[in-house]
Amino acid sequence: TNRLYILEDNTANEAVWTIAAAPTVKYALGDIGPAGGLVFYVTDDGLHGLEAAPEDIGGNDDAITIVWGCSETLLVGMNETGVGSGAHNTSQRDLCDDPTTAAKSAAAFEHNGYFDWFLPSKEELNLMYVNLADPDGNNYNSGRSDPDNLGGFAGGFYWSSTQGAEGNLAWLHSFVSGTVSSYHVKQYPYYVRAARAF
């Protein structure tokens, strides 16, 4: 059963076994998370949090970008901005009929046998930038070769799962300067990095 058992009493024909509790694992920012991603947010003293996928959707190839999708269509239910809302926004991905979108690509991501990835919300994406792409706080990431860039992020824009107030706009984030861009046109392709909660 892949569990650790402790023999409490080995009396013949009456052995007593108990299941040992799994050790408590606490994570810190920048640690390798339970799914092999990089931890960028922690709660409960490191017992829970969020981890970023170790690479962009499609691999860390600067030529691979994805559109947000459903340009000119306001999708009800994909407007949440806060920490903890990326999974909800992504769960609404089928409201968009476009076959390839940033949210659908993040939801289809698999790493180390984990399939519960999502496109981070506007605020989750900002934490990903602050704690992984720019942990030294100088508001500059020169790209994948930047020695302070823990996640190997591209020097460009990343889509969030947070839609704008108008049908053709969604929020994105500059992973060069850290600027949270106001809305941008959904039909433009940008980088996508999935996240998951643990």
Side-chain angles (χ1 to χ4, degrees):
T1 60
N2 294 325
R3 294 183 179 174
L4 176 63
Y5 289 84
I6 299 172
L7 179 61
E8 298 286 345
D9 182 350
N10 66 349
T11 303
N13 299 320
E14 295 182 23
V16 176
W17 295 85
T18 58
I19 300 173
T24 301
V25 178
K26 293 185 177 185
Y27 295 93
L29 298 176
D31 283 354
I32 301 298
L38 295 159
V39 175
F40 67 94
Y41 176 74
V42 292
T43 62
D44 302 323
D45 197 28
L47 293 174
H48 301 286
L50 298 170
E51 64 181 313
E55 63 184 15
D56 292 345
I57 300 296
N60 285 350
D61 179 342
D62 286 344
I64 298 175
T65 54
I66 302 170
V67 299
W68 199 92
C70 279
S71 183
E72 306 300 330
T73 304
L74 187 62
L75 305 172
V76 177
M78 294 187 75
N79 301 78
E80 295 184 18
T81 62
V83 175
S85 62
H88 174 266
N89 288 344
T90 303
S91 73
Q92 305 301 304
R93 64 193 174 276
D94 290 333
L95 295 172
C96 180
D97 292 332
D98 292 354
T100 302
T101 67
K104 288 178 180 179
S105 298
F109 184 75
E110 180 275 330
H111 185 72
N112 284 345
Y114 288 83
F115 296 88
D116 57 347
W117 301 87
F118 54 84
L119 186 62
S121 70
K122 173 186 157 190
E123 291 181 20
E124 290 166 342
L125 193 59
N126 184 57
L127 288 172
M128 198 181 288
Y129 174 81
V130 169
N131 293 321
L132 295 180
D134 186 38
D136 60 358
N138 69 353
N139 293 321
Y140 183 72
N141 166 30
S142 62
R144 301 194 196 279
S145 62
D146 187 325
D148 295 313
N149 179 353
L150 300 181
F153 294 93
F157 289 98
Y158 281 81
W159 278 124
S160 80
S161 62
T162 306
Q163 183 179 224
E166 298 175 28
N168 65 329
L169 303 173
W171 287 91
L172 53 83
H173 198 293
S174 168
F175 270 57
V176 175
S177 66
T179 304
V180 179
S181 181
S182 53
Y183 308 133
H184 209 3
V185 180
K186 294 179 186 176
Q187 69 189 22
Y188 291 170
Y190 293 109
Y191 299 108
V192 173
R193 182 69 67 105
R196 68 176 293 276
F198 61 87

